[in-house]
Amino acid sequence: HRDHWFPGSVVEIIENNKSDENDKADGSGVNTKVRVHFDNYSSKWDETYSIDHFMEGRVQPLYSHASPRAKPTEFAVHHRFTDRTSRLSNLFGQSFYVQCYNDWSTARAGAQILGQASRFLRLSMDKGGPIDKSETPERQAKVTRLYERTQAVISDLIDLLIDVDREYVQYALGVAPDPNANPSMKVERFRNPGFDATAISASLVQQVNGLIHRLPFEVRVCTIDATLGGRSDEEVAFPFS
């Protein structure tokens, strides 16, 4: 980019059936492009590349021209509540930061975020201040049960994400038998050219969806200047898989 090389990752595959005059479609009439996000940069600097760009050498194998950035990516985590009547969102509680290294999978990064978030889900033992007459023993017991269930689900999600991340690395490096490996591809230690993460990702999505809906909150990703949301194109659900 502008005579400089930057490490990044493909975050979206774009397939268009119609090509404009500047694009070349393959034999199937489909013009395929990819959107690349550069490490440690805002998404506004994302670039879209076509197959021609790869052929021309404008996109090179990761770290072949640029060294990996040792500095981890830092996420600011905010607690947000949306009023059901006014539909207005407000931030509450103490915001905190989570550091995720660039070579982590989204599964491992998700486990890190959930692990840090769980530390802020604590039952307050402070009984000082005005007395809330609505705080009946039944209500307190309900809150306690909700807290315990939430912590249990978070623990199960973290275990699942870490286990799948470990499998992913072992299969990709060929240090463990890959049950989904193509028999025609030769697998050597630290080299698995036929590795395909589709089956692992599909299984993880199914298992995560079976747990994530049991949480009393959502984990969403947004830009630093859109913490209150408002538009659907400003944020997305965190891609745990």
Side-chain angles (χ1 to χ4, degrees):
H1 186 269
R2 298 179 181 177
D3 298 325
H4 295 280
W5 294 95
F6 300 92
S9 305
V10 173
V11 294
E12 182 181 6
I13 299 176
I14 307 169
E15 293 186 352
N16 298 318
N17 291 325
K18 296 181 179 180
S19 304
D20 61 34
E21 58 183 5
N22 297 320
D23 294 327
K24 296 179 180 179
D26 57 24
S28 64
V30 177
N31 177 45
T32 303
K33 295 182 179 181
V34 296
R35 182 164 64 89
V36 174
H37 176 76
F38 298 101
D39 296 349
N40 299 320
Y41 284 90
S42 168
S43 58
K44 73 177 182 179
W45 299 107
D46 290 359
E47 293 279 358
T48 301
Y49 296 98
S50 66
I51 299 301
D52 286 343
H53 292 139
F54 282 80
M55 300 296 292
E56 294 167 359
R58 290 183 57 184
V59 180
Q60 294 290 332
L62 186 62
Y63 303 141
S64 61
H65 287 66
S67 300
R69 295 174 177 264
K71 182 181 178 180
T73 299
E74 197 168 58
F75 292 90
V77 181
H78 304 278
H79 306 280
R80 188 176 72 190
F81 170 76
T82 301
D83 185 87
R84 295 182 178 180
T85 302
S86 65
R87 299 292 183 181
L88 296 177
S89 297
N90 297 281
L91 301 183
F92 67 94
Q94 178 66 47
S95 301
F96 62 96
Y97 290 89
V98 175
Q99 291 186 336
C100 299
Y101 288 89
N102 297 326
D103 57 343
W104 284 6
S105 66
T106 52
R108 185 172 178 182
Q112 173 81 341
I113 292 173
L114 286 173
Q116 292 296 323
S118 67
R119 299 173 55 194
F120 289 81
L121 294 174
R122 296 179 180 176
L123 287 174
S124 175
M125 304 306 293
D126 183 11
K127 299 301 182 181
I131 298 177
D132 186 353
K133 294 183 179 180
S134 66
E135 285 293 330
T136 62
E138 292 79 9
R139 177 179 172 82
Q140 293 178 1
K142 182 178 180 180
V143 171
T144 299
R145 289 194 300 270
L146 175 61
Y147 168 81
E148 292 174 347
R149 286 199 302 266
T150 300
Q151 289 288 20
V153 173
I154 290 177
S155 178
D156 291 342
L157 272 169
I158 291 175
D159 290 343
L160 169 64
L161 294 169
I162 293 299
D163 289 343
V164 171
D165 177 73
R166 185 180 298 110
E167 289 182 359
Y168 174 88
V169 173
Q170 291 177 342
Y171 295 162
L173 294 179
V175 297
D178 184 357
N180 303 300
N182 187 339
S184 64
M185 301 294 292
K186 183 179 180 181
V187 179
E188 301 176 357
R189 187 172 178 80
F190 301 124
R191 186 174 183 273
N192 184 5
F195 174 67
D196 186 353
T198 303
I200 295 179
S201 296
S203 175
L204 178 58
V205 168
Q206 184 178 10
Q207 294 180 78
V208 167
N209 287 341
L211 291 170
I212 201 74
H213 75 278
R214 294 165 55 189
L215 291 176
F217 59 82
E218 292 181 301
V219 180
R220 304 187 67 83
V221 182
C222 64
T223 58
I224 194 65
D225 57 348
T227 54
L228 292 178
R231 298 207 328 252
S232 59
D233 60 342
E234 291 181 331
E235 63 180 39
V236 295
F238 187 87
F240 287 98
S241 58

